Amino acid sequence: MTVLQVGPLMPFLEADLRELYAAPRLPDPPDSFLDGPGAQVEIVVTSGRTGVDADLMRRLPALRAIVNFGAGYDTTDVAEAARRGIAVANTPDVLDDCVADTALGLIIDVMRGLSASDRYVRRGDWAAGGNYPLARKVSGARVGILGLGRIGLAIARRLEGFDCVISYHNRRRRDVPYRYVSTPVELAAETDVLVVAVSGGPQTQHLVSAEVIAALGPDGFLVNVARGSVVDEPALVAALVAGRLGGAGLDAFTDEPHVPAGLLALDRVVLTPHLASGTTETRRAMADLVLANVAQFRKNGTLVTPVV
Ligand code: 8YV
């Protein structure tokens, strides 16, 4: 089966795909490839950053499987894939720890002002005799988790170690020792920190609305390790600039790699470049799971981690 790489991937995964399957990368512009060798492509390997849309599916008539590097696959048109009988896999589970670690890092950073205090020291403000402003206590804080999937649960388990009061909102109530709250607005209203851990896509678009942000309020914090699309970003920026939200720790944005200019000057905001799963160990494990999916599909036409 012919394998095609769509969009950039980790260099080591690109090398493996070339070595194992002589997989070419879809050129830009793609037309000469799609009108020629594209007709033979049966498996596409892509990432959450790029994905496969309905148009590309139409132009790859032999396509049978899409293997997505990343847990999130909102950039691939899964409904269209299902309609065409194209199987789709992602890389769940192996990144839960690192994404949850990052969420905890952002919570601590934004509440205690660690990144901002680093700038304070480097600027010489400490040496000049300043007193760094007091921050907020993380241990024992009330944390709301929006989306209690595998990553949300990994975040909750870590927060237990901080004696946090954990509540959550999820499509369905889960059998867990955390308080279920029936709407995102109520969750925001009763927590100090709202952590976004839902999948991206149309069903969660702007789930963190202006109303949710208002419910968090000037003493509340938002942490996003999911997708930028989940948050009404203009409403978030407006609230942060006006001091109507206490702070935010953001690893995901609407128009990555572009970050709203209004956030850059705010010390109440911690900005990271979509790095939540970005460790050597986890990215290798994600690549290995991609390769396992490709190998199994070539062998028997099934995927190891199909998207349901
Ligand atoms: C990936 C992610 O780095 O897994 C996901 O959904 O967002 C990250 O782990 C990214 O999607 C790869 O492009």
Side-chain angles (χ1 to χ4, degrees), residues 13-264:
L13 178 55
E14 294 191 354
D16 289 344
L17 290 170
R18 270 198 308 273
E19 192 183 315
L20 291 165
Y21 305 115
R25 177 169 166 181
L26 183 66
D28 184 16
D31 305 278
S32 57
F33 180 87
L34 292 172
D35 295 337
Q40 315 300 323
V41 170
E42 287 168 278
I43 302 176
V44 160
V45 177
T46 186
S47 78
R49 194 166 140 187
T50 313
V52 182
D53 62 16
D55 185 52
L56 185 55
M57 285 180 214
R58 185 179 55 74
R59 297 187 71 184
L60 295 171
L63 186 60
R64 293 177 53 199
I66 298 165
V67 180
N68 180 67
F69 177 92
Y73 48 87
D74 48 311
T75 50
T76 286
D77 190 336
V78 183
E80 179 64 10
R83 207 180 63 72
R84 290 179 173 270
I86 299 169
V88 182
N90 67 340
T91 58
D93 305 324
V94 292
L95 43 64
D96 298 351
D97 283 340
C98 278
V99 177
D101 292 350
T102 303
L104 267 288
L106 287 172
I107 293 169
I108 296 170
D109 195 336
V110 74
M111 291 183 77
R112 298 297 310 271
L114 299 185
S115 292
S117 74
D118 176 273
R119 292 189 289 271
Y120 176 88
V121 172
R122 289 170 199 261
R123 274 198 309 268
D125 288 1
W126 191 30
N131 282 321
Y132 192 67
L134 297 183
R136 291 284 299 283
K137 184 172 175 180
V138 175
S139 290
R142 300 168 304 163
V143 184
I145 301 177
L146 191 58
L148 203 68
R150 287 172 287 232
I151 291 170
L153 279 173
I155 295 169
R157 276 200 308 275
R158 283 160 176 72
L159 290 169
E160 283 184 31
F162 286 79
D163 299 324
C164 286
V165 179
I166 302 163
S167 48
Y168 71 101
H169 171 74
N170 198 46
R171 266 173 307 184
R172 58 192 171 83
R173 191 188 287 254
R174 301 197 58 159
D175 185 18
V176 289
Y178 317 125
R179 196 172 117 71
Y180 173 78
V181 181
S182 58
T183 68
V185 173
E186 284 170 70
L187 185 66
E190 68 172 55
T191 51
D192 302 306
V193 192
L194 183 68
V195 185
V196 184
V198 286
S199 326
Q203 69 287 355
T204 57
Q205 173 88 15
H206 289 189
L207 197 60
V208 178
S209 59
E211 206 186 347
V212 171
I213 293 164
L216 268 172
D219 294 324
F221 300 89
L222 180 75
V223 166
N224 187 3
V225 288
R227 286 289 182 267
S229 60
V230 182
V231 177
D232 181 341
E233 199 170 75
L236 174 68
V237 174
L240 284 164
V241 169
R244 286 186 276 107
L245 179 67
L250 307 171
D251 188 51
F253 304 87
T254 305
D255 183 27
E256 295 175 9
H258 306 288
V259 172
L263 298 182
L264 299 178

